Amino acid sequence: MKDLSQANSDKWWKQAVIYQIYPRSFADSNGDGIGDLQGIITKLDYLEELGIDAIWLSPVCRSPQDDNGYDISDYQDIDPMFGTLADMEELIREAKKHHIRIIMDLVLNHSSDEHYWFQEAKKSKETPYHDYYVWRDGVEGEYPNDMRAAFGGSAWEWVPSLQQYYFHQFSVKQPDLNWENPKLRQEIYDMINWWISKGVGGFRLDVIDQIAKEPDKKITNNGPRLHEYLRELSRETFQKADLVTVGEAWGATTELAKLYSCPDNSELSMVFQFEHICLDQIEGKEKWDLAPLPFMKLKEVFWRWQTQLHGKGWNSLFWNNHDLPRIVSRWGNDGRYRVESAKMLAILLHGLQGTPYIYQGEELGMTNVQYGIEDYRDIETLNLYKERLEKGFSKDEVMRSIHAKSRDNARTPMQWSDAENAGFTTGTPWLKVNPNYTEIHAAGQLQDENSVFSCYKRLVHLRKEYPVFVDGDFCMLLKEDENIFAYTRTNGDSRLLVLCNFYDTTVSFSLEEDLTAMELLISNYKEIDQTGTLRPYEARMYISKM
Ligand code: NOJ
C-alpha cells in the first residue's frame, strides 16, 4: 500500500498539543457557581504559558443540561449558563491572539428532546421532522427489542400520543438522530459550516461511531454506513478549511482507525480510541467492575497502536477526559508519589507518536475524590447507584466503583489557588471542590520548576523543538519487563529514548543503548543516576546527541 504519511505531515495538528476544557468546571466569572466563557477568557494567559495550541471545549450550546450539555437543544446558540454567542465570538478572537484555536464539541448522534426538531417530531408522524429521529412500533405491546441505554434502562421510550417508541442510546432526554435521512444530514452540515465561518479551529465529534446505528439488527457502533456518512460529512464541511477533527470512537480497532484517520483526509484527522483506558475492568463487564491494570497488556496495546498507525493514520494520546477518572489516582500514586507518578505518566504519553491531549487539571496532578453519594451530580453515576443497589450490590461495593470510576472525579472544579473554592468561583460551586485544593493548585505550581505544571510545559515545548516527536517510528524496549515501560522513537539520526518505572519500587534494567552518550531532556528526579536502576515512578527522556 502507498505510504500516504507525507500527504498531511505538514498539518498543524501533528505538532499540536490540545487542552480540554470542561466549561462548567473551569473558571466562573459571574459567581453563579458554574464556569463560563468569560471565565475561560481570563485564563488564556495561563494556557499560553503552558504552550498549548488548541482548546477542545466540551459542549457550550444551548441545552437543558440533562447530560451536562451533551444534550443540545440549539446547535447555533450558546447556553445562557455559559454566556452568549458574542462571548463565544470573543473567546475565538481572544484565543487567537494567544495562538490558540478553539475546537468545538459536536454532538451529532443525538439531540436534546427539547430541540425544536424533536418537539415537532413527536407531534405527528406526518411532519418532516418525525424522520429526523429513530422510531419503531412496539412488538405485542412491548419494547421493539431488549436494547439497553448507556445510562441505564431500555433504549426505547414510549410516546403515547404517537403510539411509537423512539430510540435513545443515552438518557431518555437524548433521542438518537436518524442519519439515514438526507435532510437531517444537510441541516447538520449547514450548522457545522456556520461554525466554521465563525472561525473555529476544529471539532471533536461525540460518539461518532454510533451515528450509523441499526437498532433492528441491534447494531450501535460501526454500522455498515458509518464511513460513507463520515466521508460525506467531511466533504461537505471539514475539508473546506484547515481544521483538526477528532472522533470519539469506543469501538475503534487499529484497522478502523486507519480508515477514520487516513492521511488522504477523507474522514477525520484522528480518533479517540479507548483500548488502553478500558483495561482495568473485568473483561466483558462494565467499567464499574474493577480489576487491576494488566500492565503487560497496556504495553501491548500501546505498541500495537503506535506501530500499526505509523504512516497510515494518526493517533490521539490521552489519559484523561471529562468521562474518565484522574490518571494519577488511577494508574499513578496520589499519595506519597503523586508528583513523581503524575510526571512519569506525562513523560510516557508525550513521547509517543500522535497528538497529545491534556485534560484540565491533569497538568497540576489533580486527583480523584471520594464523596458520599449526595455530593455526586453526574447522571451516569446517580443512575448506576440506584440500579446496582436494586440489583443487590452492597452500598460499599457500589461506592468503591464510584470512587474509582465516576465521571465526577474529572469534573470537580479546577484548582486555581488556595483561596476559597480553589479560586474557581465566588459563589457555591455546582460540584464540590476537591478538599486537597489547599495543596494542589495552579498558583503554587506556575513558578515552581519542579512542579507537575512545569513538567507538562516542558513536554509541550519539546514536541515543537524536536521533529522526532512528530515523525519518529516507535520501538518498544524491555518488552518482557513487568515494571518498566520503555521505548525509542527514531527518525534518521535522531532518536528519543523514554524509560518509565510504572510502579513504586526501585527496579533495575539493562539496555544496549549507552545512556551516557545521550542528552537527558527531562526527568522526574533531581539527581540522575545513569546506571541501571529506576527509583519509584522514575521517568527519563533522552535524545541522541547531534
Ligand atoms: C460521550 C461524552 O463524552 C459523554 O460525556 C456523554 O455523556 C456521551 N457521549 C453522550 O453524549
Side-chain angles (χ1 to χ4, degrees), residues 22 56 67 70-71 105 107 110 151 170 174 204 206-207 248 250 321-323 379 407 411:
Y22 196 65
W56 151 25
D67 184 19
Y70 284 93
D71 48 319
D105 208 320
V107 187
H110 46 268
F151 297 155
F170 295 90
Q174 293 167 297
R204 176 261 187 188
D206 191 61
V207 289
E248 184 193 26
W250 286 81
N321 67 29
H322 64 291
D323 294 329
I379 180 172
R407 306 194 296 182
R411 300 176 181 185

Side-chain angles (χ1 to χ4, degrees), residues 315-534:
N315 273 296
S316 64
L317 308 169
F318 69 97
W319 290 126
N320 276 109
N321 67 29
H322 64 291
D323 294 329
L324 301 172
R326 295 280 179 183
I327 198 63
V328 69
S329 301
R330 188 178 190 180
W331 295 345
N333 177 317
D334 63 8
R336 177 168 171 203
Y337 295 111
R338 186 185 65 83
V339 171
E340 289 82 357
S341 63
K343 291 181 184 175
M344 180 277 288
L345 290 159
I347 292 170
L348 192 165
L349 196 77
H350 283 247
L352 296 171
Q353 186 171 43
T355 301
Y357 289 76
I358 301 171
Y359 177 70
Q360 63 184 47
E362 179 186 336
E363 77 280 17
L364 306 175
M366 276 179 60
T367 69
N368 280 354
V369 284
Q370 303 208 339
Y371 294 156
I373 192 65
E374 64 285 354
D375 286 323
Y376 287 88
R377 296 289 173 266
D378 173 31
I379 180 172
E380 183 193 53
T381 304
L382 299 175
N383 286 354
L384 178 274
Y385 181 77
K386 242 177 72 201
E387 208 173 274
R388 289 224 158 170
L389 287 190
E390 275 163 22
K391 280 187 186 155
F393 284 79
S394 76
K395 198 173 159 189
D396 280 356
E397 221 174 331
V398 181
M399 287 317 293
R400 211 167 327 129
S401 298
I402 289 177
H403 290 157
K405 295 283 179 73
S406 169
R407 306 194 296 182
D408 280 343
N409 281 309
R411 300 176 181 185
T412 60
M414 179 74 176
Q415 294 166 209
W416 292 109
S417 71
D418 60 2
E420 205 182 349
N421 295 319
F424 161 72
T425 180
T426 52
T428 307
W430 72 276
L431 175 67
K432 259 177 48 177
V433 174
N434 189 325
N436 66 17
Y437 75 89
T438 47
E439 283 136 55
I440 304 172
H441 54 80
Q445 296 199 22
L446 274 167
Q447 305 307 331
D448 173 4
E449 61 177 26
N450 295 316
S451 66
V452 180
F453 179 90
S454 293
C455 174
Y456 270 89
K457 180 176 160 184
R458 174 114 174 95
L459 288 167
V460 173
H461 286 87
L462 285 173
R463 178 162 289 266
K464 306 209 172 344
E465 206 174 314
Y466 296 98
V468 66
F469 277 82
V470 179
D471 300 328
D473 64 359
F474 176 92
C475 176
M476 185 71 93
L477 302 177
L478 306 173
K479 220 172 183 158
E480 307 304 323
D481 195 291
E482 292 181 358
N483 298 285
I484 299 175
F485 195 117
Y487 61 89
T488 54
R489 302 274 316 285
T490 310
N491 189 7
D493 290 342
S494 183
R495 168 169 292 192
L496 198 69
L497 189 150
V498 178
L499 268 175
C500 296
N501 177 3
F502 215 82
Y503 292 100
D504 64 359
T505 49
T506 298
V507 287
S508 54
F509 65 91
S510 111
L511 280 179
E512 278 172 22
E513 321 271 335
D514 177 10
L515 297 178
T516 57
M518 298 184 91
E519 180 191 343
L520 186 68
L521 285 179
I522 188 167
S523 68
N524 59 352
Y525 275 81
K526 274 192 204 142
E527 271 88 45
I528 295 302
D529 170 5
Q530 295 274 18
T531 60
T533 55
L534 289 172

